[in-house]
Amino acid sequence: MSDYDYDLFVIGAGSGGVRAARVAASYGAKVAVAEEHRVGGTCVIRGCVPKKLLVYGSHFAEDLEDAANYGWSFENPRFDWPRLRDHVLSDVDRLNGLYEKTLESHGVERVMERATITGPHGIKLASGKEVTAKTILVAVGGWPFVPEFEGSDLCITSNEVFHLKEFPKRVVIAGAGYIALEFAGIFNALGAHVTVVNRSNVILRGYDESLRDRLLQITMSRGIEYKFHCPFQKIARREDGALDVHLEGQDPLIADQVLVATGRRPKTDGLGLETAGIQLKDNGAIPVDEYAKTSCDSIYAVGDVTDRIQLTPVAIREGQAFADTVFGDKPTTVDYDCVPSAVFSQPPLAGVGLTEGEARNTYGNIKVYSSDFRPMKNVFAERAERGLYKLICEEPTGRVLGLHMIGPDAPEILQAAAIAVKAGLTKQDFDNTVALHPSMAEELVLLR
């Protein structure tokens, strides 16, 4: 008999926590998962999945516009926000149910209330019940960060945007990271006037500079306005319900909604980690070693609550590696090298490996191959938008250090190409591959 109530108690039922729980249970562990909201986590409930569905929905505006030149005609097409919103939320319900069934089928106990840590092996539930576990895994993820200024309580975040009763015609978005620009593209395509406000003049910090510049040009041509070096001063509500948005050094803006997308922080406030001697980083992240262990031997952490790569597939791998290590007797670490990522902006961009700037700083002697082209899909469109693919290679070996692209379907193309980058293939390997014509992807083997 165990000295503890559970072999593993997971706090947080997101992608990383669910994976860790079900795999640990499959190894024979007695597992419970505590979740104060819904099973599925940020990605499934209020993040990348519902957001991608909104992206799909917004693309029809462009497709309907281009359809006429392809011989199609439609009479009085109109957009119905409640219908799209409700379909998206319905799919969230479906996925939430699937995650619950996954835990149930693996014998994992679900505890639908907040849990906090009371010591190396202690957990207290919101109901007041206290339990113990040999191992505790923290997988509570992150939470939107909202700067403090007068009227900041009138803003929404990516948590609330999926539940808007009415479609806003005027949207101000604070921030210029991937969440900000993805929602900017969605609202813009669906007919809203969008203004992106940023404290600096850099969008998508960390992505290749050439792609960032290209996206900025294209989105501006689509009608998205940018205001750089503009901190928020205050927001006030008018009698008609609209918002006056006051920015430093600018005339006030009028908005129906202000979406704050200035980043996310680990959701560790009030979690009780200090009772186990765990000291958090300045941003609230939990420090862990290569096996996801904290400074307390019985407590581990995976996913966005740490300061590693904040991506759902990474959290899933971390959860798998944790369970294999602790309960499967198979010590496993996660390889964070060459992790692909994408921004589902309009158009989307994607990248894997080093950017041109990073490669020059690290290797010095590099060669950059590129293709700047007009996607075939856009030939009949009235938009003169061009795609851009870049291959960054080490010299003289030709080994591919990074691949970055912007254009229609860039993320779908990059996933397969990322395998080549991860495998350490060379520019010659790309050249030796016959092009698939006509396609945008063929540009990858025709780069000069």
Side-chain angles (χ1 to χ4, degrees):
M1 295 292 293
S2 172
D3 293 332
Y4 305 99
D5 297 316
Y6 300 97
D7 299 312
L8 172 64
F9 195 99
V10 181
I11 303 178
S15 298
V18 168
R19 174 59 67 89
R22 73 170 182 81
V23 174
S26 72
Y27 285 129
K30 183 180 180 182
V31 183
V33 174
E35 173 56 57
E36 60 183 316
H37 183 49
R38 304 181 74 185
V39 177
T42 295
C43 182
V44 170
I45 305 300
R46 65 187 81 85
C48 46
V49 170
K51 182 173 57 182
K52 185 68 177 292
L53 292 172
L54 291 184
V55 170
Y56 283 139
S58 66
H59 277 179
F60 282 97
E62 180 179 300
D63 293 339
L64 287 170
E65 180 181 321
D66 295 345
N69 289 331
Y70 283 94
W72 292 89
S73 61
F74 303 90
E75 292 185 5
N76 302 319
R78 67 183 184 87
F79 171 65
D80 185 341
W81 164 253
R83 189 171 187 181
L84 174 59
R85 177 201 63 204
D86 292 348
H87 272 75
V88 170
L89 294 179
S90 177
D91 197 60
V92 168
D93 291 340
R94 179 184 67 84
L95 293 171
N96 171 237
L98 291 176
Y99 270 69
E100 289 180 339
K101 288 181 180 178
T102 294
L103 291 176
E104 182 180 351
S105 66
H106 284 81
V108 176
E109 180 182 341
R110 284 184 287 122
V111 181
M112 299 308 294
E113 55 183 300
R114 179 173 173 79
T116 54
I117 293 171
T118 60
H121 300 281
I123 304 102
K124 185 175 183 179
L125 305 178
S127 61
K129 180 180 179 181
E130 295 194 31
V131 297
T132 60
K134 182 178 181 181
T135 303
I136 299 172
L137 176 66
V138 181
V140 295
W143 203 251
F145 168 70
V146 179
E148 291 187 8
F149 56 86
E150 184 180 345
S152 61
D153 58 309
L154 300 174
C155 301
I156 62 172
T157 70
S158 56
N159 286 354
E160 297 81 35
V161 72
F162 302 103
H163 302 273
L164 295 176
K165 292 183 178 180
E166 299 178 353
F167 182 77
K169 294 297 184 183
R170 298 162 297 186
V171 180
V172 171
I173 299 178
Y178 74 95
I179 295 175
L181 294 187
E182 286 174 343
F183 278 114
I186 290 168
F187 283 119
N188 171 257
L190 293 176
H193 180 271
V194 178
T195 304
V196 174
V197 178
N198 198 33
R199 293 179 63 92
S200 73
N201 64 348
V202 177
I203 69 171
L204 294 179
R205 190 180 302 276
Y207 282 84
D208 190 87
E209 185 175 356
S210 299
L211 271 65
R212 300 194 321 241
D213 290 345
R214 180 63 54 89
L215 181 64
L216 181 62
Q217 296 167 11
I218 292 175
T219 53
M220 289 178 65
S221 70
R222 291 190 177 202
I224 296 177
E225 292 190 27
Y226 290 85
K227 293 189 179 296
F228 294 121
H229 300 296
C230 291
F232 278 70
Q233 291 182 324
K234 68 175 182 177
I235 297 177
R237 189 176 295 281
R238 294 182 165 195
E239 291 184 3
D240 63 0
L243 301 172
D244 283 324
V245 182
H246 296 266
L247 308 172
E248 189 175 296
Q250 298 282 330
D251 293 332
L253 302 173
I254 301 175
D256 300 308
Q257 292 287 351
V258 177
L259 170 63
V260 175
T262 50
R264 297 173 62 83
R265 291 187 175 178
K267 198 171 184 290
T268 50
D269 291 345
L271 199 56
L273 289 159
E274 69 281 356
T275 64
I278 299 172
Q279 185 174 355
L280 303 177
K281 295 191 175 183
D282 291 342
N283 64 350
I286 302 175
V288 293
D289 66 12
E290 60 181 333
Y291 292 103
K293 184 191 292 186
T294 69
S295 58
C296 177
D297 287 344
S298 58
I299 299 179
Y300 294 71
V302 298
D304 291 0
V305 77
T306 69
D307 61 352
R308 296 174 290 189
I309 300 176
Q310 296 187 347
L311 291 172
T312 297
V314 172
I316 291 172
R317 291 209 170 198
E318 290 174 352
Q320 178 79 46
F322 157 79
D324 288 342
T325 298
V326 178
F327 296 96
D329 197 26
K330 296 183 293 186
T332 306
T333 60
V334 176
D335 184 357
Y336 297 97
D337 184 44
C338 286
V339 174
S341 64
V343 180
F344 296 99
S345 48
Q346 300 189 32
L349 59 86
V352 63
L354 300 181
T355 65
E356 180 178 348
E358 291 170 340
R360 290 193 188 282
N361 290 337
T362 303
Y363 290 89
N365 189 19
I366 66 169
K367 188 169 183 179
V368 178
Y369 302 86
S370 65
S371 177
D372 189 331
F373 62 98
R374 188 176 185 187
M376 189 174 182
K377 180 183 177 183
N378 290 349
V379 172
F380 280 8
E382 297 180 0
R383 297 177 303 280
E385 298 175 1
R386 299 182 66 82
L388 176 63
Y389 292 179
K390 292 179 62 175
L391 199 66
I392 293 95
C393 300
E394 180 188 17
E395 285 290 282
T397 66
R399 180 169 64 95
V400 178
L401 302 173
L403 173 59
H404 307 276
M405 52 207 309
I406 181 172
D409 300 320
E412 305 295 340
I413 297 169
L414 182 86
Q415 178 64 85
I419 299 171
V421 180
K422 179 69 175 176
L425 299 188
T426 65
K427 176 62 167 64
Q428 191 60 53
D429 292 317
F430 277 72
D431 291 344
N432 291 342
T433 304
V434 176
L436 193 161
H437 180 76
S439 71
M440 290 179 293
E442 69 179 307
E443 297 294 332
L444 290 176
V445 298
L446 302 173
L447 293 166
R448 293 293 180 265

